[in-house]
Every structure is written in structure tokens, then in C-alpha cells.
């Protein structure tokens, strides 16, 4: 028997423990365990008022917040199924997920999102708005605060059902880079097993402070930045937004961060920019990275032992102060991380643990450990997770964290999970000394017209390390040479080609960019070229630039 909501209700014995901090009405407000349980009880009273029964679905379309937690915990505790949705997604996609899942109610961030949803002809769904200017209800949108106040008089003790382990807990829609998203069905057992496996790594402690800024609708943040700290009783601070992230890092001083690589890529780019005009600063930073990485590998000499504390105090500490000065580790996932960047931060004294997973695995499959950290890899598999290589070196995973299947899509489920219970990840991998090295996507291997093959992701990860490039996509399938589409303020094609290829020196010589299409307009969720998890929709980008691509290849490589 199991229930995810035990993560919250266990703190009923320590009602004054501060679990969350959120910026509300121009000030930071702390929320204690008792307040969170009471807020979850209010949501449960609302669910009862609707006559919802175990197995019914309810959707969440909120920014990271205490209401996100309370709604989710209150729902799953009663056996309801929570359906997390991305606030920044377009109304059509959000409405599709609500209707496809059969959700009976959805709570959204504000009236604008609510009204846009109702334009999508939602049927049989109550729409509640958290930040609402509506007094009670108007045009199908209900003020969530008013609704909760109206049911408060009917509050009952927190309802926590003892459920069968394979009871469906949540349907998470994958932000596919093409086509409609699929609903990943995760059980209480799936979630608890993955959280417990992460807990065994001892990367989260009760005294830790997490800063949460990745969307909780993504399983990486939901497991690592929500369920795991709640499991151990750590405090979570909700960042005000990506634009205020630098200030929130500095003022809130977290000890643990779950992040995507782009955060550290940008921070590393700023470090490089700050030292490039001073030979002394540049040499000092290079010396720090050289000595620090050597010491982390246990290969440092006597001189290194004396130099490292001084280098970290004089060079690293001012840099790390910008991250709050207390960060003891960062877990990075969601995309590939340039090992050069990881090594630099590790050398400074900040362990960056590169991990790997997918929604279908709830999501963590593997992660590096603070001891024996190998940034080129995504670490060993989690406890209770098996991995092996299948046909074409595809990484397969099996364990109690693997999904039940795709919502109302048996054919896709059979394709993803074989008869022996192995999840087919679609990623090409190598396993050495129990560590997993991701080498690319099976379906994304690009073949030039001369038969040469390469993984565009490896090359793209290298090129994006140059901060002149904001976003990029490599092209060349069936073509005579490799080209690139780049979002950049620089329009000098020859200079950009030179800078791109300087980043590709470690790859085979045929993997070189010959032509570049530039644009100053960024790819966003709104213009349909990014997923809600900020992954580039490669197919959509290529489609958007197809005329310019055809012209480029018609012109050839030029000089």
C-alpha cells in the first residue's frame, strides 16, 4: 500500500517546521507544515464538493507555488489523479491535455489563461483562477480564493487513503518536439520508488534550502525540487521568475539547486567575459580550474594542496557569492552539459552532478555522485534501477520507477516498454565502469549525402558554449555539407563559421559547419519553436526556415 501524500502528512508531527517560502505582495512569506496541510485540506473540501471519486482527474496550470503543492498533495491523497500542465504553453495545447485526460477541474495561474482556455471550447471542466480579479464567477471563470473560502466551513481532517501501489497518481504530458504530447501514466509506486532511490544518495538533507525555478510540471523539478525536499523536510524557496533568478540566488542563498545546463552555460559565459580583457584574471581562473580539477581527481601534488585554498578564496569565492555563497551542490539534467563547464565549477568547489532521465522513468535513471564525479558521463544508475544496452546500443532501463504506460495509447506503450519490462529510451549510450555515457538519439543521427553520419546534439552542445550563439540547430540530412541555423546578434557569416568550428576541433574533421543562416528573432514557446521545457523543436525550426535552407544549399559552400 502507498500514497505520495505521505511526503506532506509526515510533517503533521512537526507543525511549525517551515517547508516553503514564496514572494507574495512584495515580501517573502514562510509557510509551515501545518499551514500546508490545512491548505491541502481546503482543496480536498473543494474536491468533495464536486463529488470527485478516486481515479478522477484534476489539472494544475500554475507557476511553482504553495498552491501547486497543496492542490497536488490534496488530490493524490484522496486517490485523485493530478495532471500538471505548463503555464507558458499555448492555450490549444493546454486545452488538449485537459480534454484528453478527462480532467474535471483545472486551477490556473490567472484570469488571462482561464479566458484563453475557455475560448478552446472546454467541456464539463470547472476553471478556477488563483490570481483573479473576479469577485466570484464570471463567464465560466471562478475565483479560486472565493471557492476555497466557501468550502472552508466543511473542512474535514486530511484524508489520506491507503492505496494499492500501482494506483495511477499522475498523468504527465511529454512536451514532444513534434506532434501532440503523450500522457505518461505514473503510479504512486513509481514516484515513491524514484524519490526513495534519490534519497539513498544522500544529496538532500533536512537542513538544506532548495531554490525552485524549473516548472514543477516537469518531472525533473517535481521529483528533485518538490518531492525529494518534502520527503526529507528541507525548505524550498520559490524563485520569483527567471529574470529575478540572479537576485534570488544572491539574497536567498540556497544550498541545493536543480537546474538545466543553460543556467550554468550562461553563468560560465559571464565568467569568461569578465576575465577575457585581463591577462592576470584569465590566468588566475585557468590556474584555479587546472589545480582544482586535478585535486578533485586525487592527483594533486604538494604545491596544489597549498595553492587550492588560496585560489578558491581569491578567485572562486567572489564568483560563487553570486550564487548565494552557500551552494553545496547542483544537480543538472534535462539536456547534455558540456563537461568543460562542469569541471570548472567542480574545480571551484561546487559539485555539479550531471544526471539523466525521462518522464517515462519518473524521471531519474542515473546521476553522478559527489564522490567519483565524472562530468562526461551521466553517472551510474540509481539504486533499484537496471540498465543495459539493446540493439544499436540503445539504452534500456527497468525498475519500479518505470511508467505504467501512455494514457489511452496502448500501441505507443508497447513500443516504449517491451515484454520483459525494459523501457526503450531512444538514446544511444555507452556503459563503462557502470557509468552511462549518452552518445545521441537513435532517430536524430544525421546522414550527409556522402554517407557520413554524426549526432547533431554533440556538435550543437559544443558550439552553444560560445555565447555569441543564443540558439542553434544543425542541418544537413541528405545534403552535401553541414549547415546551421543560429539565433545571434552577429550577422558576419564568416566570423560565425570560424567561431563555430573552433568549438568542433575535438570531433572528426568532416563535422564542420560550412554555412550559417542567422536570425535575431529568438525561438520561444509563443512562436511554437520551443517546447514548454525550452527544448528546441528541430522539425519546426527547419520547417520555418525551409526556403532559406533551400537557397543556402543551392548557393553551395561559397568561398
Amino acid at each position: 500500500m502507498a500514497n505520495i501524500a505521505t511526503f506532506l502528512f509526515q510533517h503533521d508531527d512537526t507543525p511549525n517546521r517551515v517547508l516553503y517560502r514564496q514572494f507574495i505582495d512584495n515580501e517573502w512569506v514562510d509557510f509551515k507544515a501545518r499551514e500546508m496541510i490545512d491548505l491541502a485540506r481546503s482543496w480536498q473540501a473543494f474536491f468533495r464538493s464536486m463529488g470527485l471519486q478516486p481515479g478522477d482527474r484534476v489539472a494544475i496550470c500554475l507557476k511553482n507555488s504553495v498552491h501547486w503543492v497543496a492542490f497536488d498533495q490534496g488530490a493524490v491523497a484522496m486517490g485523485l489523479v493530478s495532471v500538471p500542465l505548463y503555464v507558458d504553453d499555448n492555450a490549444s495545447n493546454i486545452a488538449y491535455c485537459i480534454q484528453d485526460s478527462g480532467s474535471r477541474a483545472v486551477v490556473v495561474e490567472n484570469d488571462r489563461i482561464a479566458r484563453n482556455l475557455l475560448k478552446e471550447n472546454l467541456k464539463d471542466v470547472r476553471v478556477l483562477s488563483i490570481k483573479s480579479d473576479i469577485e466570484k464567477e464570471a463567464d465560466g471563470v471562478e475565483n479560486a480564493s472565493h471557492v476555497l473560502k466557501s468550502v472552508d466551513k466543511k473542512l474535514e481532517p486530511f484524508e489520506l487513503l491507503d492505496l494499492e501501489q500501482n494506483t495511477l497518481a499522475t498523468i504527465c504530458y511529454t512536451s514532444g518536439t513534434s506532434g501532440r504530447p503523450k500522457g505518461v501514466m505514473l503510479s504512486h509506486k513509481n514516484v515513491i520508488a524514484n524519490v526513495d532511490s534519490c534519497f539513498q544518495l544522500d544529496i538532500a538533507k533536512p537542513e538544506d534550502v532548495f531554490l525552485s525555478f524549473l516548472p514543477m510540471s516537469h518531472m525533473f523539478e517535481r521529483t528533485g525540487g518538490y518531492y525529494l525536499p518534502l520527503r526529507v523536510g528541507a525548505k524550498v524557496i520559490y524563485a520569483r521568475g527567471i529574470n529575478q533568478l540572479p537576485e534570488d540566488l544572491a539574497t536567498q542563498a540556497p544550498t541545493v539547486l536543480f537546474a538545466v545546463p543553460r543556467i550554468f552555460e550562461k553563468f560560465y559565459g559571464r565568467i569568461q567575459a569578465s576575465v577575457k580583457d585581463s591577462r592576470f584574471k584569465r590566468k588566475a581562473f585557468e590556474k584555479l580550474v587546472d589545480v582544482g580539477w586535478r585535486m578533485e581527481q586525487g592527483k594533486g601534488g604538494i604545491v596544489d594542496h597549498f595553492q587550492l585554498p588560496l585560489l578558491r578564496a581569491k578567485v572562486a569565492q567572489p564568483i560563487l557569492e553570486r550564487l548565494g555563497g552557500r551552494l553545496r551542490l547542483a544537480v543538472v539534467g534535462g539536456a547534455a552539459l558540456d563537461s568543460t563547464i562542469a569541471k570548472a565549477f567542480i574545480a571551484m568547489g561546487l559539485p555539479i552532478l550531471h544526471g539523466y532521465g525521462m518522464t517515462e522513468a519518473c524521471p531519474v535513471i542515473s546521476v553522478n555522485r559527489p564522490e567519483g564525479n565524472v562530468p562526461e558521463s551521466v553517472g551510474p544508475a540509481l539504486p533499484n534501477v537496471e540498465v543495459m544496452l539493446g540493439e544499436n546500443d540503445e539504452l534500456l532501463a527497468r525498475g519500479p520507477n518505470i511508467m505504467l504506460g501512455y494514457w489511452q495509447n496502448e500501441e505507443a506503450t508497447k513500443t516504449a516498454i517491451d515484454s520483459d519490462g525494459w523501457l526503450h529510451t531512444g538514446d544511444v549510450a555507452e556503459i563503462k565502469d557502470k557509468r552511462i555515457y549518452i552518445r545521441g538519439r537513435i532517430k536524430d543521427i544525421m546522414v550527409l549525402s556522402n554517407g557520413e553520419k554524426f549526432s547533431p546534439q554533440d556538435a550543437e552542445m559544443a558550439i552553444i558554449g560560445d555565447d555569441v550563439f543564443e540558439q542553434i540547430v544543425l542541418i544537413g540530412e541528405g545534403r552535401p555539407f553541414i549547415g546551421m541555423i543560429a539565433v545571434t546578434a552577429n550577422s558576419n557569416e564568416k566570423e560565425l563559421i570560424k567561431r563555430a568550428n573552433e568549438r568542433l576541433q575535438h570531433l572528426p574533421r568532416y563535422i564542420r559547419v560550412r554555412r550559417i543562416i542567422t536570425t535575431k528573432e529568438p525561438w520561444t514557446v509563443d512562436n511554437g519553436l520551443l517546447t514548454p521545457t525550452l527544448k528546441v523543436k528541430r522539425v519546426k525550426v527547419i520547417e520555418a526556415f525551409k526556403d532559406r535552407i533551400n537557397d543556402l544549399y543551392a548557393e553551395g559552400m561559397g568561398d
Side-chain angles (χ1 to χ4, degrees):
M1 306 299 277
N3 196 310
I4 295 168
T6 55
F7 293 151
L8 173 62
F9 194 66
Q10 65 175 328
H11 300 296
D12 190 48
D13 294 334
T14 53
N16 292 319
R17 187 178 190 90
V18 176
L19 295 177
Y20 297 100
R21 173 176 288 179
Q22 186 173 333
F23 198 75
I24 301 174
D25 296 332
N26 296 314
E27 64 177 344
W28 290 101
V29 180
D30 285 344
F31 289 83
K32 298 177 181 178
R34 172 45 53 195
E35 294 171 290
M36 292 304 301
I37 292 172
D38 285 345
L39 190 55
R41 290 170 61 212
S42 293
W43 280 113
Q44 287 189 335
F46 164 68
F47 299 143
R48 288 191 199 94
S49 73
M50 284 190 65
L52 298 181
Q53 299 297 316
D56 286 341
R57 279 79 62 201
V58 288
I60 315 169
C61 190
L62 299 174
K63 292 181 179 179
N64 296 6
S65 62
V66 292
H67 269 296
W68 209 114
V69 173
F71 186 99
D72 181 57
Q73 291 286 301
V76 298
M78 298 174 67
L80 302 179
V81 178
S82 68
V83 182
L85 305 169
Y86 292 94
V87 173
D88 295 330
D89 205 351
N90 61 63
S92 173
N93 263 353
I94 295 172
Y96 169 81
C97 296
I98 292 171
Q99 298 281 219
D100 183 68
S101 64
S103 291
R104 298 277 304 280
V106 58
V107 58
V108 302
E109 183 70 15
N110 54 46
D111 295 340
R112 177 186 59 80
I113 295 174
R115 292 190 178 105
N116 286 339
L117 274 180
L118 289 170
K119 292 176 184 176
E120 298 294 326
N121 299 316
L122 288 180
K123 294 181 175 62
D124 303 319
V125 182
R126 286 183 68 174
V127 180
L128 282 66
S129 172
I130 288 288
K131 296 177 182 175
S132 181
D133 296 325
I134 298 167
E135 185 176 349
K136 293 182 181 180
E137 187 271 341
D139 301 321
V141 180
E142 301 178 61
N143 183 317
S145 296
H146 171 76
V147 170
L148 293 183
K149 287 176 183 175
S150 70
V151 298
D152 268 356
K153 57 183 178 291
K154 303 173 186 176
L155 278 186
E156 297 180 15
F158 187 73
E159 182 179 347
L160 184 65
L161 299 182
D162 200 4
L163 302 167
E164 291 289 340
Q165 290 192 352
N166 285 326
T167 299
L168 180 61
T170 184
I171 301 173
C172 300
Y173 283 85
T174 58
S175 53
T177 54
S178 63
R180 286 292 194 183
K182 297 193 292 288
V184 175
M185 298 189 294
L186 299 173
S187 68
H188 287 261
K189 173 187 174 182
N190 292 152
V191 173
I192 293 170
N194 205 231
V195 173
D196 282 350
S197 291
C198 293
F199 174 75
Q200 290 177 45
L201 304 183
D202 201 31
I203 58 175
K205 305 176 186 298
E207 62 270 20
D208 272 324
V209 176
F210 286 61
L211 185 67
S212 174
F213 64 93
L214 299 178
M216 285 163 61
S217 42
H218 193 293
M219 278 307 298
F220 177 52
E221 178 66 19
R222 193 171 172 190
T223 294
Y226 161 23
Y227 289 144
L228 179 61
L230 188 58
R231 163 80 164 77
V232 302
K235 182 178 180 179
V236 175
I237 300 173
Y238 292 118
R240 290 171 292 168
I242 200 70
N243 292 331
Q244 294 90 3
L245 185 59
E247 184 181 344
D248 290 350
L249 281 165
T251 61
Q252 299 305 306
T255 60
V256 177
L257 202 63
F258 277 70
V260 290
R262 193 63 181 145
I263 298 298
F264 286 97
E265 288 167 357
K266 287 194 170 186
F267 196 70
Y268 182 75
R270 293 193 190 104
I271 296 171
Q272 293 294 305
S274 69
V275 303
K276 72 176 182 179
D277 295 329
S278 168
R279 185 174 184 276
F280 174 76
K281 288 182 178 179
R282 188 171 66 253
K283 290 294 182 183
F285 182 72
E286 289 171 355
K287 185 70 172 177
L288 165 65
V289 173
D290 183 47
V291 172
W293 179 244
R294 195 159 53 238
M295 288 288 288
E296 286 294 327
Q297 291 179 297
K299 298 177 181 178
I302 295 175
V303 176
D304 293 333
H305 280 273
F306 284 104
Q307 285 185 328
L308 186 58
L310 181 63
L311 287 166
R312 281 184 172 170
K314 297 295 185 181
V315 182
Q317 194 56 36
I319 294 172
L320 296 179
E321 285 293 335
R322 287 183 253 167
L323 296 173
R326 295 201 306 155
L327 206 56
R328 66 176 187 84
L329 66 84
V331 182
V332 175
L337 172 68
D338 187 337
S339 62
T340 301
I341 296 174
K343 287 176 180 177
F345 283 98
I346 293 168
M348 283 189 273
L350 172 58
I352 290 188
L353 309 180
H354 193 194
Y356 168 82
M358 54 195 303
T359 304
E360 289 85 344
C362 204
V364 188
I365 290 173
S366 69
V367 67
N368 272 294
R369 316 311 199 239
E371 63 288 342
N373 190 355
V374 180
E376 293 88 351
S377 79
V378 291
L382 285 187
N384 297 326
V385 177
E386 300 175 71
V387 292
M388 65 175 287
L389 299 182
E391 188 177 352
N392 298 318
D393 291 332
E394 181 183 14
L395 182 66
L396 310 181
R398 185 169 67 180
N401 58 316
I402 302 303
M403 67 171 180
L404 298 175
Y406 293 111
W407 175 254
Q408 296 181 338
N409 196 335
E410 190 174 340
E411 183 178 345
T413 299
K414 288 180 178 178
T415 300
I417 303 175
D418 65 29
S419 58
D420 293 319
W422 290 101
L423 172 67
H424 290 243
T425 66
D427 285 313
V428 179
E430 187 178 350
I431 301 176
K432 294 189 295 187
D433 299 323
K434 296 185 178 181
R435 291 187 177 88
I436 302 167
Y437 297 77
I438 302 299
R439 302 306 189 197
R441 291 287 293 173
I442 288 177
K443 64 181 179 182
D444 288 339
I445 297 298
M446 196 172 287
V447 185
L448 301 178
S449 60
N450 62 3
E452 299 281 13
K453 299 178 182 179
F454 76 103
S455 168
Q457 288 91 345
D458 292 343
E460 287 168 355
M461 185 177 69
I463 294 169
I464 204 69
D466 186 331
D467 58 10
V468 73
F469 301 108
E470 281 295 314
Q471 295 164 305
I472 61 171
V473 161
L474 291 182
I475 54 177
E477 177 66 32
R479 305 282 194 168
F481 59 85
I482 298 171
M484 184 168 78
I485 309 168
V487 176
T488 175
N490 188 330
S491 58
N492 187 324
E493 185 182 9
K494 286 188 176 180
E495 180 188 340
L496 292 173
I497 290 172
K498 181 175 181 290
R499 291 179 69 159
N501 288 333
E502 283 174 351
R503 306 284 302 180
L504 300 177
Q505 296 301 310
H506 64 293
L507 295 175
R509 290 180 63 85
Y510 68 86
I511 304 178
R512 296 293 185 270
V513 175
R514 306 302 181 188
R515 294 293 308 276
I516 297 180
I517 295 169
T518 62
T519 177
K520 293 181 180 178
E521 182 183 353
W523 304 331
T524 66
V525 175
D526 288 339
N527 62 27
L529 300 181
L530 285 187
T531 73
T533 53
L534 306 185
K535 293 176 183 175
V536 174
K537 292 184 175 181
R538 181 182 299 274
V539 174
K540 297 287 187 182
V541 170
I542 292 173
E543 175 67 21
F545 288 86
K546 66 179 180 180
D547 291 339
R548 292 181 67 183
I549 292 171
N550 288 334
D551 290 344
L552 178 144
Y553 282 105
E555 294 167 6
M557 287 190 281
D559 299 336

